[in-house]
Amino acid sequence: MKKILLLTVLFTFSNYGFSQDVKYGVRGGLNISNLDFDNNTTPVNKHRNSMYIGFFANIGLSKTIAIMPEIQFSAEGAKAEPLHLDYIQAPIFLKFRLSEKIHVGAGPQVGLKVHKEDDGMKNFAYSGVAGIEYKINYAIFADVRYTYGFSNIFDDNLGVEAKNSNIQIGIGYKF
């Protein structure tokens, strides 16, 4: 995790001199999260409504392409308390400008579980994220993202397999 964060920071600063536009900001909003269990298990699994907040750098590589590394706190998992998963996540979002107001993007994300230890769940999560952003004015935007986990959230010795899925609906402000 430290290596990924270090690479993100170094990548951000190395591109600073080459990019046309760098903006920093904050985003936050509602999480609608659930666990996607494999077909062999059928536990009661209701979605969890919670919140997320994050800080980002929007690095314009050209007029239509930008990279957006981010650090965010995201409360995910399922509704049952033993299945709560709170993460510090680091997505690296590759954004494409479709019009003046609409941007789409996708990228990888790594998460470090916080809040609980030795609960039978892995401490790292690897996911893919995709989303759309609507620019309200020069500084404020609304966005929707979907995240799907690539890795099993449970420890291998438990014999249970589930992947985290999450929808983020929120707003952001660019400085």
Side-chain angles (χ1 to χ4, degrees):
M1 181 69 184
K2 289 180 185 177
K3 290 180 183 179
I4 291 172
L5 289 175
L6 179 61
L7 286 174
T8 302
V9 170
L10 290 175
F11 186 72
T12 300
F13 288 120
S14 68
N15 275 328
Y16 181 77
F18 299 107
S19 63
Q20 295 177 348
D21 185 28
V22 176
K23 293 183 179 174
Y24 300 95
V26 61
R27 59 183 290 275
L30 172 70
N31 272 344
I32 303 169
S33 182
N34 205 351
L35 297 178
D36 185 14
F37 283 88
D38 90 11
N39 295 337
N40 298 334
T41 33
T42 56
V44 176
N45 184 25
K46 295 182 180 180
H47 71 274
R48 178 184 182 197
N49 293 332
S50 55
M51 53 73 85
Y52 71 92
I53 187 164
F55 303 96
F56 65 86
N58 191 67
I59 305 164
L61 301 177
S62 71
K63 191 170 182 163
T64 58
I65 299 173
I67 292 179
M68 193 165 109
E70 186 173 337
I71 297 291
Q72 70 180 4
F73 170 80
S74 183
E76 300 179 6
K79 189 171 185 172
E81 198 282 325
L83 300 176
H84 284 191
L85 299 168
D86 298 338
Y87 290 108
I88 299 294
Q89 296 174 328
I92 300 176
F93 216 59
L94 181 61
K95 290 179 23 176
F96 300 94
R97 179 180 167 188
L98 298 181
S99 71
E100 179 65 30
K101 299 230 178 233
I102 298 175
H103 298 85
V104 297
Q109 175 175 281
V110 64
L112 173 65
K113 186 178 64 132
V114 295
H115 176 67
K116 296 181 185 178
E117 294 180 14
D118 301 322
D119 60 352
M121 297 190 195
K122 293 182 180 174
N123 291 328
F124 288 96
Y126 305 98
S127 309
V129 60
I132 187 165
E133 175 183 305
Y134 178 76
K135 186 175 171 184
I136 296 170
N137 64 27
Y138 69 94
I140 300 172
F141 63 90
D143 66 351
V144 176
R145 291 186 184 179
Y146 177 73
T147 305
Y148 189 77
F150 296 142
S151 58
N152 181 13
I153 62 148
F154 291 103
D155 287 337
D156 295 332
N157 60 354
L158 294 179
V160 179
E161 187 170 324
K163 295 179 180 172
N164 202 17
S165 64
N166 187 40
I167 297 171
Q168 291 183 336
I169 303 167
I171 59 171
Y173 183 81
K174 294 178 186 175
F175 302 101

